[in-house]
Amino acid sequence: MRTLICGSLAYDTIMVFKDRFKHHILPEQIHILNVAFLVPDMRREYGGCAGNIAYNLHLLDGNPLIMAAVGDDCEPYMLRLKKLGLDATHVRRVPDTYTAQAFITTDLDDNQITAFHPGAMNYSHENRIGEVRDVSLGIVAPDGREGMLQHAREFHERGIPFVFDPGQGLPMFDGAELREFLRLADYCTVNDYEAKLMTERTGRPLEELAREVRALVVTLGGNGSRIYADGSVIDIPAVTPEALLDPTGCGDAYRAGLLYGIEKGWSWEKTGRLASLMGAIKIAHRGGQNHKPTRAEIAARYRAAWGEDLD
């Protein structure tokens, strides 16, 4: 059986400004802002939540199936998915659009100015869960607003358990919509900021929201993660990474570990430990999809970190 990954495919263009924004953005002139930054260093990465999650699940020898919408400029990404052996049968090409993309400029203080173009992602609702066969688990990751709502409802209608992962898309939804997502979903995963925003919008404490799903997972960055499940709270320590290079895509790597453990029917302790390890492996590499550990190497890292076998 396969895991259906609903979310975005995107290009990330990352530029480095070798100075500090504060030297060029003057507070007293903000009302007539007109600045240009010379960025001699630039790279283009493959990203998007669906792409990143599927990539990491594939590293674990999982069986991900991507559902996303892309534009006319998608060919490099589609060739990459084919080369990696990732199933893109349900990646829809939307004519006369661009694939979603982020343009990120970073200065020497690690401040960022980002412009995000959703492009074809806005048509994600044209993809239908009912068109997919042999799926035992799913995830609704950040995507077009209507697509996220529709896919959650379709997973529920078909009786397919799924993870609700609102991510940076959470601000698009009001309290009633977030409560609906939790009612439909089997699992939910957010970071600590998103958890606070969810409690504010729903007007309910986290412990009460956790009772709506089988498990509510809150990631806490370098402080690990916390899993609310079966009436208890399980604290998962962070795994010490080999380097702290780039946090981009760490949450997606973590979610791949969650999906793998859920699919395998593991305990929440073991599932959380694998998820924590996947995030630690990712953060030591730039970009969301440039780490390349083998399944055996992941298993060895797991044993070294937790003193138990992965399988």
Side-chain angles (χ1 to χ4, degrees), residues 130-141:
E131 298 173 356
V132 187
R133 298 289 179 268
D134 300 323
V135 169
S136 59
L137 181 64
I139 184 170
V140 175

Side-chain angles (χ1 to χ4, degrees), residues 27-214:
E28 65 275 11
Q29 300 294 318
I30 197 72
H31 63 292
I32 52 171
L33 184 65
N34 186 359
V35 295
F37 303 111
L38 178 65
V39 287
D41 294 337
M42 185 179 82
R43 70 183 193 275
R44 194 186 201 194
E45 303 284 2
Y46 296 98
C49 293
N52 292 343
I53 294 170
Y55 178 84
N56 283 279
L57 190 54
H58 185 66
L59 291 177
L60 288 165
D61 286 345
N63 195 8
L65 174 62
I66 300 171
M67 177 171 279
V70 294
D72 292 328
D73 56 344
C74 69
E75 198 59 34
Y77 211 142
M78 299 302 289
L79 290 173
R80 173 179 171 79
L81 296 178
K82 183 177 180 180
K83 182 178 179 180
L84 291 170
L86 288 167
D87 192 331
T89 304
H90 295 280
V91 174
R92 180 184 298 270
R93 185 179 302 197
V94 182
D96 302 318
T97 68
Y98 289 104
T99 301
Q101 42 202 298
F103 299 89
I104 304 165
T105 303
T106 302
D107 74 356
L108 294 180
D109 290 329
D110 287 330
N111 295 307
Q112 291 187 337
I113 297 175
T114 300
F116 181 74
H117 175 67
M121 197 175 79
N122 284 334
Y123 297 85
S124 61
H125 58 278
E126 295 183 2
N127 288 319
R128 303 285 181 176
I129 303 297
E131 298 173 356
V132 187
R133 298 289 179 268
D134 300 323
V135 169
S136 59
L137 181 64
I139 184 170
V140 175
D143 207 349
R145 171 186 157 79
E146 295 307 314
M148 291 179 70
L149 285 164
Q150 176 183 297
H151 294 154
R153 291 163 182 162
E154 290 176 345
F155 271 128
H156 183 73
E157 288 168 2
R158 293 193 62 197
I160 300 172
F162 75 96
V163 177
F164 173 46
D165 171 25
Q168 63 265 37
L170 194 151
M172 297 189 295
F173 305 105
D174 61 24
E177 290 165 332
L178 291 171
R179 288 193 296 271
E180 180 186 6
F181 274 118
L182 291 173
R183 179 179 62 81
L184 298 173
D186 296 83
Y187 316 94
C188 178
T189 179
V190 290
N191 64 26
D192 50 351
Y193 170 78
E194 294 155 4
K196 291 176 183 177
L197 183 57
M198 185 178 288
T199 60
E200 290 176 2
R201 295 222 167 166
T202 61
R204 297 181 181 179
L206 201 60
E207 292 76 12
E208 184 177 331
L209 294 176
R211 291 197 290 270
E212 296 289 327
V213 289
R214 296 188 200 177

Side-chain angles (χ1 to χ4, degrees), residues 233-251:
V233 180
I234 305 164
D235 287 317
I236 306 294
V239 174
T240 302
E242 294 178 345
L244 291 170
L245 199 56
D246 181 7
T248 304
C250 286

